[in-house]
Structure formats: structure tokens, C-alpha cells
Amino acid sequence: MIISGAASQALAAALARELEEPLARAEYDRFPDGELLASVPDLASVGDGGDSDNSTDDTNTGTNTDRAIIVASTVSSDAHLELLQLQDAAREAGISEVVTVLPYMGYARQDKAFDTGHPISARAVARAISSTTDRVLTVTPHEEAVCEFFEPTATAVDAADRLAEPLPDDLTDPVFLSPDAGAIDLAETVRNAYGNGAGETDYFEKVRHSGTEVEITPSDVDVEGRDVVVADDIIATGSTMSEAVGVLQERGVGRVFVTCVHPLLANNAVTKLSQAGVEAIYGTDTIERQQSAVSVAPSIAAEL
Ligand code: R5P
């Protein structure tokens, strides 16, 4: 069965269709004191409440009690807690294998202690999740090394090739850029997935001065009159992308499309990008937004 966190319901449904597995109904409640209670009434049909007969099939729902796949992007502290509750509920019901899919793993970018006295937050959340799951999949984490923080096997699912799908078919002499050297593989994957690998790739040099301030040094590629796709793993505040797009506009670029796996689009990111002159923003459904133009369900399903 597929169980969804509140923030990942569309992706969980798409994955259920892809895998032809039943989608359980989860409920997301809150006590008067503010504490969360995420639950899965459909787990009642599993029946033995912890006395695990691992091969039971519920005849009414077709529920396979061997495996529960919990799909939950940890986009907030509440979403983290809700995931822990859903994993625990599955264990409590006697499901023998709990698989956690983190389409977007929150705190993954805090993968080191930035100063004395700081935590490694990605490790802290990975340890908590590890306590009640048997396997973890996460989509295009900022650094694959984050997988090592989990105790069970954790796999990074590469969904970059999905980003080519929503791009218009008529890009003029396209250039595929990444806003920093770290995302060049992603830009190359998008280029290769778009129209038989036609188009140049390059990257900008980026220096981050603060959470919202970045400085971008242009790439050498001539972009005048050409359509450009800027690809990154995540758009958070939109500072990186809007700086990059601003540089392109100064160089007489044609149309600019920005694309990312995780469209976090916090605060005024959409406005910043619109003001920078972006034609369209595309993302996947790892974070469910209006800009989620393509699903990563096939990429996840291929690993399950
Ligand atoms: C950093 O290296 C990442 O790949 C992204 O470029 C960055 O996290 C995007 O953040 P923001 O949208 O806040 O600039």
C-alpha cells in the first residue's frame, strides 16, 4: 500500500497508479494543544496489530501487508513529525517492510556543521527517520552523500531527465545552463533528454553572501538571441536563479526558462523570477506547487 504525507498527496496517487498498488487513506488531525496526529485508518484491515503474519493479503482491499510505501516530502517541521507518525503507525499495524520515499528531503542542505556548536541537521533528521523504516529513497538530494546519514539503505533517485518534458518544443538554438558548477550534470541531463542532445551546456560561477544574497559571474557562452534553460536542483528563495537570469538579460538573451527538481519557491521567489524576465518556471511534484509541471512518479517507481 501507498501512504501519503499531507504535502505529497498528488505524487503518492501518481505513484500508486504507476505501481498499481492501493492508495491508503491517511488522516491528518491536530489536538487542541496543537500536537499532530497523522493516522491511516486503512491499516486496520491489516488486522493483527503487530503480530506480524508477513504474507497476509486483505481480501477486500487487496492490501499487501508485506510493504507500506510512505511518500512524504518533509517541507516543514510538521511534515517531519507526520512522517514519523505514519512510519510508526505502519510498524504498529504489523507491516513487515516500511519504505520511506522522501521526494524532497527537508534539512538536506544543512549537511555539515557550519560553525562551532552547530548541529548536522540533515544527520539529525535522517537518524530520526531511520528508527522506523527499512529503506529510504530520496529524489535528487543536494548532495548524494546525505544518503549516508540514514541507517537503512538510502538511495538517491535521479529525476533530472524529467525536467526536459515540460519545455517547449521550439527552443531557438538552445543553451542549457546551471547556476553553479555543482549543477552542471543536471543541466547536461536536461540537455540530453531534450531533443536528441542538441544544445550547448555551461555553468555560472556563484558566490553566496547570505541566505538571500548571491553573486553570479557569467559563463562564456554567447547567449544573444538564443533561448536559455537554467536548471538547478532546487529553487528556494529564487535569489540564485533571478541573479543568473539578470546576467542573461544584460547579454541580449532570447527567452529564458527556469527549471528545477524541487520548486520550493519560498516567500517572494515567483515575483523575483517574474521581475527578472523569466518566461516560465517549471518544477516537479516533489514539492506540490502550481509550477509542478511534471511528475517524478515514474523515476521513483523504477527503483521500487
Ligand atoms: C545550492 O547550491 C543549490 O543548488 C541552489 O542553487 C540553491 O539552494 C537555491 O537557493 P535559492 O533559490 O535560495 O537561491
Side-chain angles (χ1 to χ4, degrees), residues 109 142-143 179-180 182-183 206 208 210-214 232-242 264-266 269 272:
R109 289 181 293 166
H142 183 58
E143 295 287 348
D180 57 35
K206 174 171 108 178
R208 183 177 281 283
S210 71
T212 53
E213 262 182 86
V214 293
D232 206 353
D233 56 334
I234 178 171
I235 303 176
T237 65
S239 303
T240 302
M241 279 294 193
S242 52
L264 192 58
L265 298 169
K272 274 190 205 165

Side-chain angles (χ1 to χ4, degrees), residues 42-292:
D42 286 348
L43 282 168
S45 66
V46 172
D48 65 7
D51 175 18
S52 64
D53 170 2
N54 294 344
S55 59
T56 309
D57 267 338
D58 180 88
T59 44
N60 295 324
T61 62
T63 302
N64 179 349
T65 62
D66 287 347
R67 179 170 83 164
I69 300 169
I70 303 173
V71 184
S73 282
T74 46
V75 287
S76 63
S77 302
D78 280 0
H80 271 108
L81 214 25
E82 187 187 274
L83 170 62
L84 296 180
Q85 290 180 326
L86 293 173
Q87 289 183 175
D88 200 70
R91 276 269 190 271
E92 184 67 15
I95 295 280
S96 56
E97 187 190 14
V98 177
V99 179
T100 299
V101 177
L102 296 167
Y104 168 70
M105 179 186 166
Y107 288 86
R109 289 181 293 166
Q110 292 192 44
D111 56 356
K112 51 178 78 74
F114 299 116
D115 210 343
T116 314
H118 284 207
I120 301 177
S121 301
R123 186 182 62 190
V125 297
R127 283 178 174 166
I129 292 167
S130 295
S131 63
T132 42
T133 191
D134 300 298
R135 192 180 161 202
V136 176
L137 278 77
T138 187
V139 178
T140 315
H142 183 58
E143 295 287 348
E144 263 191 56
V146 81
C147 291
E148 289 161 23
F149 290 143
F150 292 92
E151 278 147 34
T153 304
T155 309
V157 177
D158 185 5
D161 60 340
R162 309 289 301 152
L163 297 180
E165 204 175 297
L167 294 173
D169 294 333
D170 63 345
L171 294 181
T172 304
D173 196 9
V175 185
F176 296 82
L177 294 173
S178 63
D180 57 35
I184 184 63
D185 288 355
L186 199 139
E188 282 171 1
T189 302
V190 180
R191 190 271 312 267
N192 293 341
Y194 181 85
N196 302 323
E200 264 179 277
T201 58
D202 203 352
Y203 60 89
F204 296 91
E205 298 287 351
K206 174 171 108 178
V207 180
R208 183 177 281 283
H209 296 295
S210 71
T212 53
E213 262 182 86
V214 293
E215 191 183 326
I216 296 280
T217 310
S219 85
D220 293 333
V221 179
D222 178 12
V223 294
E224 194 171 344
R226 301 172 75 180
D227 289 341
V228 171
V229 177
V230 192
D232 206 353
D233 56 334
I234 178 171
I235 303 176
T237 65
S239 303
T240 302
M241 279 294 193
S242 52
E243 276 297 310
V245 175
V247 166
L248 294 170
Q249 300 291 6
E250 284 164 16
R251 298 180 156 217
V253 70
R255 295 176 296 171
V256 182
F257 300 89
V258 299
T259 186
C260 66
V261 177
H262 308 296
L264 192 58
L265 298 169
N267 200 0
N268 58 356
V270 173
T271 303
K272 274 190 205 165
L273 292 168
S274 302
Q275 286 180 333
V278 162
E279 197 82 17
I281 306 167
Y282 301 117
T284 78
D285 54 359
T286 62
I287 300 174
E288 295 178 4
R289 297 277 189 262
Q290 200 188 321
Q291 292 78 8
S292 300

